[in-house]
Amino acid sequence: MDDRDLSVLWLQSAGCGGCSISLLCSEARDLHASLDSAGVRVLWHPGLSEESGDEARLILERCASGEIPLGALCVEGALLRGPRGTGRFHRHAGTGVVMTEWVRKLAGMARYTLAVGSCAAWGGVASAGENVTDACGLQFEGDQPGGLLGAGWKSRGGLPVINIAGCPCHPDWVTETLTALALGAFGARDLDPLNRPRFFADHLVHHGCTRNEYYEFKASAHKPSDLGCLMENMGCKGTQAHADCNARLWNGSGSCARGGAPCISCTEPGFEEPGHPFHETPKLAGIPIGLPTDMPKAWFVALAALSKSATPKRVRENAVADHQVVVPPVKKTGLK
Amino acid sequence: MTRIIVGPFNRVEGDLEVTLEVRDGRVAEAWAGSPLYRGFEQILRGKHPMDALMFAPRICGICSVSQSMAAASVLADAMGLTAAPNGRITRNLAHAVENIADHFTHFYLFFMPDFARAEYAGRAWHGPAAERFRAVRGSAAAYVLPVRAAFLTAMGTLVGKWPHSLAIQPGGVARALEASEKIRLFGLLRDFRRHLETVLFGDALEAVAALGSEAALARWAAEKPRGDFGAFLGIADDLNLDKLGRGVGRFMSYGGYPQEAGLLLPRGIWNGGLHALDEQAIAEDVSHAWLDGETRHPAQGVTRPQDEKAEGYTWCKAPRLAGLPMETGALARQVVAGHPLARNLAARGGDVKSRVVARLLEIALILPEMEKWVRQLVPGEPFCAQGEMPGTAAGAGLVEAARGALGHWISVADGRIANYQIISPTTWNFSPRDTDGMPGPLEQALVGAPAGEGDVAVQHVVRSFDPCMVCTVH
Ligand code: SF4
Ligand code: SF4
């Protein structure tokens, strides 16, 4: 291993493994080789590496003692502080030691610490409901700074925990962040106010959505499988969620909205408890309460009324059908 | 006699710790432990019933579609809703993509790398096996990852994204496929078939699916080089993997892939003979879990953590069918479905070799079905039936995940979830002891396995079940 390479240790705390599984969907030619080419060396990953049992435990111990210099600690899954502050809802298998303890120790040694996925970033689904497990993120608890490591915590490399939020996160968000770190091309200015990498968090899911024409005319879906905009009735938060899902796309050419599902803003802290059923848009006097954040409400209402009255028949009728019932007309142009 | 703790287990999904009592170099007793509790059943209480569609896939990132399918069918059951034909087919396709990709991933990335280990350096096959199957750096990993990712692009088309799609609905899917997408899917399936036939099997899928006995399988493998499957069969012979990891000999399948008339893979149990599955005979015992309560059918199940419990050694409950542990998974599914090779293999009661063969056999059986399903799609016809959830209702959703029987049970009161219980396949396979002291299937399968210094046998047994611990402990 080259001194300048970024060595990575990956731990799975209380999550579903989905962020790792998502990573394997990276459409890079060969994930392992492309990480390697970028100077990212994986010391150990619980799902992929060969070492098991004692050998794995030894790697962890040598990283914790500083014997193996640790470039980046990636944590996937929420940190469970329960029951009664003991952390015993999650012991690291085979070590007898609770995961919160391992994470504290290893984060203290790593140059950078990354929260992979919304569980590790904010607590995520693990912290929903009454949160009996006392789940939290590495450096946030919902949208409140703090979490396991504390609000003011900085890694040896001078950065707070890098929150690669998402449930799961897109594979590119992980590979590109690690690559940028390995290149030394990632600093405090590359993080948004919630410490998410700006390269994906400075976008809105709304950007590039194939339903944008329906959105413009407020031609809305009313039931699952309708083609219309999912924002007015179906609970979609794409206009508020920070992510590039409709521009970058998932699994070849997909996204939540392309699959007919609302964006539930899985990159945002607290997405797991929206205070309303996920598939419904909460409204006040018939107007959705969660409007685009950078637009005055009165404008939105006025524009919506105007655009609804101007909706072409094609857009209006297709919005409530599951396939195009009116196709764009073909004009006789007379061009030769 | 020594007691050892094996963990962290690598290349299994989630946390697993196995405690072994070793006598004369062999496992005398085993205890399977899951040192993680997340509490989904508690989280779901009081939520809107449809919210299960958001939470359920997040139980497990590796079989999220299976969890979505169980949630969609438990809701459909409670609503009395039948899916639109196109929706049913699309859901089957998404589910089969996940299950097949899972078998494929398990074989290459989770199971085979153990044969590359230095412990086997003296074996004739070790050189090529190490070059091919070594974790991360083997030639198979470099080949498999892009092939797998390309196959999973079918999920982008079918359900928007994977894992954790919200497109799977009680009435079908949230988005209708277009004619061009139907063609794209067909192309993706054919691409994957080509990889399987040239690299994994070295033969047509139909020829693999037609193998009718273990002897026929051996003849087929001896005929000519049979790809990576052939390599496995050679290693299995040399290491006597047919004698390792003997199971409980009772297999259960909830059945899967609903067709226009009935299930493609039937529901039932097998214990040397085929029997109907009495769903009411399922119960979860919590005597050795860090949980409170008594043995109950999941429709009345409770989940209350109790971490200070002397007899507890895991967060996993012990599901039993009529009081008995059951093995579940691809072998169970194919045995219940009556596949002659699977029935032949399972006569021994289940073992490491049989479980791996059954998974690969299932790939060869299901992909050709998927090609038929794609042809049955009729773009322009509905993909989603619409329904209403009554204020008071109850339901069960029983599906087959890659690892076996997955059940969700719901009761709804005042329009909210009053109770939601989940039994995952690995909860069956890796269950702890019950009130009678009867060990779970893995705990029994480990007994007798060599467990000396540098022995990998225990790892093979554990991985032959393809455990998924995050599912188990949900
Ligand atoms: S963030 Fe979501 S996908 Fe990632 S581990 Fe947590 S639940 Fe799974
Ligand atoms: S579209 Fe929304 S819910 Fe879907 S992955 Fe992106 S941020 Fe998450």
Side-chain angles (χ1 to χ4, degrees):
Chain A
M1 193 166 101
D2 194 313
D3 279 354
R4 290 158 311 180
D5 288 343
L6 186 77
S7 62
V8 175
L9 178 67
W10 191 295
L11 295 182
Q12 288 176 331
S13 191
C16 72
C19 290
S20 285
I21 292 294
S22 178
L23 181 64
L24 291 181
C25 291
S26 164
E27 286 158 58
R29 188 184 51 78
D30 161 6
L31 173 67
H32 296 314
S34 45
L35 285 176
D36 208 62
S37 317
V40 178
R41 308 270 186 263
V42 180
L43 290 169
W44 191 69
H45 181 292
L48 303 173
S49 301
E50 180 171 303
E51 300 87 352
S52 207
D54 289 343
E55 306 148 307
R57 199 160 54 215
L58 201 63
I59 298 176
L60 261 55
E61 278 161 9
R62 291 171 68 202
C63 286
S65 70
E67 192 189 326
I68 302 179
L70 185 52
L73 171 70
C74 289
V75 179
E76 171 183 4
L79 291 312
L80 306 185
R81 293 166 298 187
R84 303 173 305 279
T86 62
R88 280 209 306 263
F89 277 131
H90 190 199
R91 280 181 301 103
H92 193 302
T95 70
V97 175
V98 298
M99 190 56 107
T100 44
E101 188 68 39
W102 273 115
V103 168
R104 274 205 195 92
K105 246 195 234 167
L106 289 162
M109 301 307 290
R111 214 167 135 67
Y112 305 107
T113 293
L114 288 76
V116 183
S118 289
C119 288
W122 332 114
V125 285
S127 66
E130 296 159 47
N131 193 3
V132 282
T133 56
D134 203 8
C136 66
L138 278 170
Q139 210 175 3
F140 275 87
E141 190 161 352
D143 58 4
Q144 296 303 306
L148 183 78
L149 297 174
W153 185 91
K154 289 247 164 64
S155 70
R156 290 190 166 198
L159 291 182
V161 172
I162 301 167
N163 289 322
I164 312 180
C167 184
C169 37
H170 192 289
D172 295 356
W173 301 344
V174 179
T175 53
E176 288 176 19
T177 306
L178 286 174
T179 304
L181 285 169
L183 283 173
F186 196 95
R189 275 186 310 192
D190 298 308
L191 294 173
D192 87 340
L194 292 168
N195 298 337
R196 297 175 294 199
R198 306 184 71 121
F199 72 88
F200 73 86
D202 279 358
H203 297 270
L204 293 175
V205 168
H206 184 58
H207 301 156
C209 180
T210 45
R211 293 169 195 250
N212 279 352
E213 191 187 31
Y214 297 103
Y215 173 84
E216 284 160 20
F217 288 109
K218 293 291 149 297
S220 299
H222 284 267
K223 54 187 190 307
S225 88
D226 281 352
L227 293 179
C229 172
L230 302 167
M231 179 242 188
E232 193 178 353
N233 307 311
M234 309 294 289
C236 184
K237 295 192 167 78
T239 53
Q240 304 147 59
H242 288 254
D244 56 9
C245 297
N246 277 309
R248 186 184 291 270
L249 299 178
W250 289 72
N251 304 103
S253 56
S255 73
C256 290
R258 285 177 194 216
C263 166
I264 56 167
S265 66
C266 77
T267 54
E268 303 291 325
F271 83 96
E272 69 282 354
E273 285 291 347
H276 61 84
F278 285 96
H279 66 291
E280 285 172 14
T281 306
K283 293 178 196 168
L284 211 60
I287 298 162
I289 51 175
L291 295 178
T293 39
D294 47 5
M295 187 184 215
K297 213 160 214 164
W299 288 23
F300 182 88
V301 174
L303 278 174
L306 199 64
S307 56
K308 269 198 180 178
S309 65
T311 310
K313 178 173 183 287
R314 170 178 60 84
V315 176
R316 194 171 57 239
E317 292 190 7
N318 289 345
V320 291
D322 76 354
H323 60 284
Q324 289 205 73
V325 286
V326 185
V327 298
V330 179
K331 282 219 175 94
K332 291 199 186 95
T333 63
L335 289 177
K336 292 249 158 63
Chain B
M1 196 156 73
T2 47
R3 187 170 281 217
I4 53 173
I5 296 178
V6 197
F9 253 96
N10 208 28
R11 288 176 281 108
V12 302
E13 188 48 57
D15 286 74
L16 169 67
E17 185 172 273
V18 179
T19 305
L20 302 172
E21 198 154 285
V22 181
R23 224 175 285 147
D24 306 325
R26 294 201 172 256
V27 176
E29 271 200 89
W31 293 264
S34 295
L36 168 66
Y37 176 78
R38 289 185 300 156
F40 272 78
E41 290 158 339
Q42 284 174 294
I43 289 170
L44 279 160
R45 283 183 93 106
K47 298 259 184 285
H48 190 284
M50 291 301 154
D51 284 358
L53 294 173
M54 195 294 277
F55 284 100
R58 276 133 179 124
I59 292 168
C60 180
I62 198 162
C63 65
S64 76
V65 169
S66 298
Q67 297 286 354
S68 295
M69 291 289 287
S73 47
V74 84
L75 294 171
D77 191 37
M79 292 158 85
L81 185 65
T82 307
N86 275 329
R88 167 180 52 75
I89 297 168
T90 308
R91 287 197 317 209
N92 279 347
L93 280 166
H95 198 183
V97 169
E98 179 174 276
N99 286 345
I100 286 186
D102 208 334
H103 291 336
F104 184 73
T105 311
H106 174 263
F107 179 75
Y108 280 111
L109 301 187
F110 296 166
F111 186 76
M112 294 304 285
D114 277 331
F115 300 116
R117 296 174 64 102
E119 286 87 338
Y120 288 127
R123 304 281 175 168
W125 43 261
H126 183 260
E131 185 282 324
R132 183 79 184 135
F133 298 114
R134 232 173 114 195
V136 182
R137 280 183 292 279
S139 64
Y143 169 76
V144 155
L145 282 170
V147 169
R148 176 185 179 278
F151 182 50
L152 283 162
T153 62
M155 292 295 205
T157 304
L158 288 163
V159 288
K161 86 177 218 287
W162 186 82
H164 306 346
S165 165
L166 286 172
I168 292 165
Q169 295 286 316
V173 282
R175 187 172 165 283
L177 291 165
E178 293 168 14
S180 67
E181 290 165 329
K182 174 174 163 169
I183 303 303
R184 184 196 304 165
L185 283 168
F186 193 74
L188 282 170
L189 295 179
R190 278 298 164 101
D191 279 348
F192 193 54
R193 173 191 272 271
R194 188 163 43 82
H195 284 293
L196 296 172
E197 293 186 338
T198 51
V199 179
L200 180 59
F201 293 119
D203 204 348
L205 299 185
E206 285 74 7
V208 177
L211 293 168
S213 67
E214 200 172 10
L217 175 69
R219 278 195 302 277
W220 173 84
E223 243 166 58
K224 59 181 180 131
R226 293 299 189 185
D228 294 322
F229 185 31
F232 164 74
L233 291 171
I235 295 170
D237 262 359
D238 185 51
L239 296 178
N240 294 323
L241 296 184
D242 56 341
K243 297 193 176 60
L244 186 67
R246 206 46 63 82
V248 292
R250 281 180 303 273
F251 301 93
M252 178 180 81
S253 170
Y254 289 162
Y257 304 127
Q259 306 295 298
E260 204 175 343
L263 295 167
L264 176 75
L265 299 174
R267 178 172 296 180
I269 58 172
W270 176 266
N271 55 4
L274 188 64
H275 305 275
L277 169 70
D278 175 11
E279 196 251 308
Q280 289 310 313
I282 298 170
E284 281 196 297
D285 174 306
V286 293
S287 58
H288 292 77
W290 288 306
L291 295 163
D292 210 7
E294 67 274 358
T295 304
R296 289 187 181 197
H297 185 272
Q300 284 84 44
V302 287
T303 305
R304 263 194 319 264
Q306 194 203 346
D307 60 302
E308 282 163 348
K309 181 169 165 184
E311 318 79 70
Y313 63 92
T314 178
W315 291 104
C316 176
K317 293 181 183 176
R320 296 289 185 262
L321 184 75
L324 294 169
M326 305 297 280
E327 176 169 336
T328 186
L331 181 60
R333 260 193 307 275
Q334 294 308 325
V335 166
V336 169
H339 192 281
L341 173 57
R343 285 260 170 104
N344 188 207
L345 290 165
R348 291 194 297 262
D351 51 70
V352 171
K353 177 186 170 189
S354 305
R355 292 183 193 106
V356 176
V357 169
R359 268 193 288 271
L360 298 186
L361 171 68
E362 194 163 76
I363 296 181
L365 283 163
I366 301 300
L367 197 79
E369 295 296 325
M370 295 169 74
E371 293 168 354
K372 287 186 212 155
W373 301 342
V374 171
R375 289 176 199 267
Q376 288 165 6
L377 289 168
V378 189
E381 299 276 310
F383 276 67
C384 198
Q386 314 293 336
E388 283 291 324
M389 175 64 77
T392 306
L398 307 183
V399 302
E400 280 287 314
R403 292 166 187 76
L406 168 64
H408 286 195
W409 287 263
I410 198 175
S411 62
V412 177
D414 298 327
R416 297 273 143 183
I417 296 176
N419 198 15
Y420 202 102
Q421 291 285 317
I422 302 144
I423 308 183
S424 298
T426 306
T427 316
W428 285 96
N429 289 337
F430 282 39
S431 83
R433 283 155 172 70
D434 55 30
T435 320
D436 301 332
M438 166 92 77
L442 171 80
E443 295 182 332
Q444 296 193 32
L446 280 169
V447 172
E453 181 76 23
D455 244 314
V456 199
V458 166
Q459 316 252 358
H460 298 324
V461 177
V462 166
R463 291 199 187 93
S464 74
F465 286 94
D466 190 8
C468 176
M469 306 315 290
V470 293
C471 261
T472 312
V473 294
H474 42 267

